[in-house]
Amino acid sequence: MTPLGPVARSLLRAGMTLASPGGSFGALLVLIFHRVLERPDPMLEGEPDAAAFAEQMDLVASLCHVLPLPEAAARLASGRLPPRAVCITFDDGYANNAEVAVPILAARGLTATFFVASGFLDGGRMWNDTVIEAVRHAPAELDLTPLGLDRYSLPDMAARRRALGALLERLKYLDLDSRLRKAEAIAAAVGAPLPGNLMMTAAQVRQLHALGMDVGAHSVTHPILAKVDDDTARREIEGSRSQLQDIVGAPVRSFAYPNGRPGRDYLRRDVDLVRAAGFEVAVSTAWGAVTRRTDPLQMPRVASWDRTATRYALRLTRAFTERRATLV
């Protein structure tokens, strides 16, 4: 990503200020990431590597006011939000958040919120990573019809990414046990080696907190909350907060809904459970900016990408104008 020149930076900052002037008329962008890779991975084409993430953070820091999520929520509610306000968030709890992303953030004086699915700490593995590794190591012809799935031709990396997307979408809305069994069966059919070091350890979570990063909850086992019963949803929401508070020794105030699409992945019931559990802020994956009219327990977020600095900045500017209130 080519750095912006001083004229372009000034023009883009002016445009962002018009879109988000701060104060009572301000808007907040909450950026969402999952992984920051040590090096590019063709199976994870949409995930930034360290160099790309560093360039993005340099751009964001030069154009925006980056705030911790709890502080931004409080300043938004009181009408004291600065212009061009942005928060940085990560979902799931991947080890590369601590190992790759945090040093980049710390070197620039930036903070972020890390939403951790507490049940996968210390050697756990999310079901989607089981599928990713299976497709990565699969032969050129992958027949999953004995598992009630499809047959896939995988002549190149683009075909593997397409097959991966189809499988993840197919399995995503199964109940948790069925989803895990199916993912493991796919990996067994391929004979794929499955890593046990993808997620953070409890010690890494404590270190994030010690460095001034915000640790948020993301459920225990990352279920689709809308698909589980009341008691399961309550255990997932309350349990993640309790486990993480025990690890960091401090209140956990932020929550991210797994998958996060309003009305499909979480319901009004789940918003009520998040409120009852004591969370002050919660985020979805609906697209848009946060304003004072937005339900603080349903903040939308913005996925950030683009190969040039100018297009990236223009996308952020446009996102400031796409404002959302209550979602479900």
Side-chain angles (χ1 to χ4, degrees):
M1 186 182 289
T2 304
L4 293 173
V7 173
R9 187 182 305 112
S10 296
L11 290 172
L12 288 165
R13 282 170 62 95
M16 282 190 181
T17 302
L18 286 174
S20 177
S24 299
F25 300 101
L28 170 68
L29 292 188
V30 183
L31 306 184
I32 176 174
F33 296 90
H34 290 82
R35 317 176 204 229
V36 177
L37 307 172
E38 186 175 356
R39 61 186 63 86
D41 182 345
M43 281 297 293
L44 301 170
E45 193 177 37
E47 304 282 14
D49 65 4
F53 182 70
E55 290 173 347
Q56 290 178 8
M57 294 301 99
D58 285 338
L59 181 62
V60 169
S62 72
L63 294 174
C64 304
H65 287 99
V66 179
L67 300 171
L69 183 59
E71 177 185 341
R75 295 181 69 164
L76 179 69
S78 63
R80 297 181 297 109
L81 199 68
R84 309 180 309 279
V86 165
C87 297
I88 301 164
T89 67
F90 292 81
D91 282 9
D92 298 334
Y94 284 102
N96 55 39
N97 293 178
E99 296 163 356
V100 182
V102 166
I104 293 170
L105 293 169
R108 290 154 178 80
L110 303 176
T111 61
T113 294
F114 295 84
F115 292 110
V116 177
S118 58
F120 300 110
L121 293 172
D122 297 312
R125 184 178 59 255
M126 299 181 72
W127 70 274
N128 55 297
D129 288 306
T130 299
V131 179
I132 289 168
E133 296 310 310
V135 176
R136 185 194 303 278
H137 292 93
E141 297 296 326
L142 176 60
D143 183 8
L144 298 178
T145 55
L147 302 180
L149 298 167
D150 297 323
R151 187 191 305 269
Y152 300 92
S153 179
L154 309 173
D156 53 32
M157 190 55 66
R160 289 180 188 270
R161 288 194 294 266
R162 288 193 298 272
L164 174 62
L167 283 167
L168 294 180
E169 193 62 30
R170 184 85 174 266
L171 271 60
K172 185 182 295 182
Y173 291 98
L174 297 177
D175 68 81
L176 181 60
D177 289 341
S178 298
R179 193 171 63 187
L180 292 173
R181 285 197 303 270
K182 193 77 76 172
E184 294 291 340
I186 293 169
V190 171
L194 297 176
N197 62 348
L198 294 178
M199 312 310 289
M200 280 192 272
T201 64
Q204 287 175 316
V205 174
R206 277 192 292 272
Q207 182 66 15
L208 292 183
H209 177 72
L211 290 171
M213 302 294 171
D214 180 40
V215 174
H218 195 37
S219 78
V220 178
T221 63
H222 204 280
I224 305 297
L225 291 172
K227 298 292 185 180
V228 302
D229 60 39
D230 293 358
D231 288 341
T232 301
R234 183 178 295 106
R235 286 196 302 271
E236 287 282 342
I237 292 166
E238 294 179 354
S240 62
R241 184 172 194 247
S242 176
Q243 290 170 13
L244 291 168
Q245 287 183 156
D246 286 346
I247 290 170
V248 302
V252 170
R253 298 181 284 171
S254 308
F255 184 83
Y257 300 98
N259 275 44
R261 284 179 282 189
R264 183 173 186 185
D265 299 329
Y266 73 92
L267 308 173
R268 168 53 58 180
R269 173 207 66 182
D270 304 308
V271 178
D272 293 339
L273 289 172
V274 165
R275 180 180 293 106
F279 291 103
E280 300 169 12
V281 179
V283 295
S284 71
T285 57
W287 179 278
V290 184
T291 71
R292 295 183 74 184
R293 295 178 57 246
T294 304
D295 181 352
L297 295 181
Q298 294 190 77
M299 289 185 171
R301 289 189 283 179
V302 175
S304 44
W305 70 93
D306 269 318
R307 297 190 182 278
T308 72
T310 299
R311 290 180 63 182
Y312 187 100
L314 289 173
R315 185 181 298 277
L316 294 182
T317 302
R318 179 183 174 187
F320 272 121
T321 70
E322 298 179 6
R323 304 182 175 199
R324 293 178 179 268
T326 300
L327 302 176
V328 299

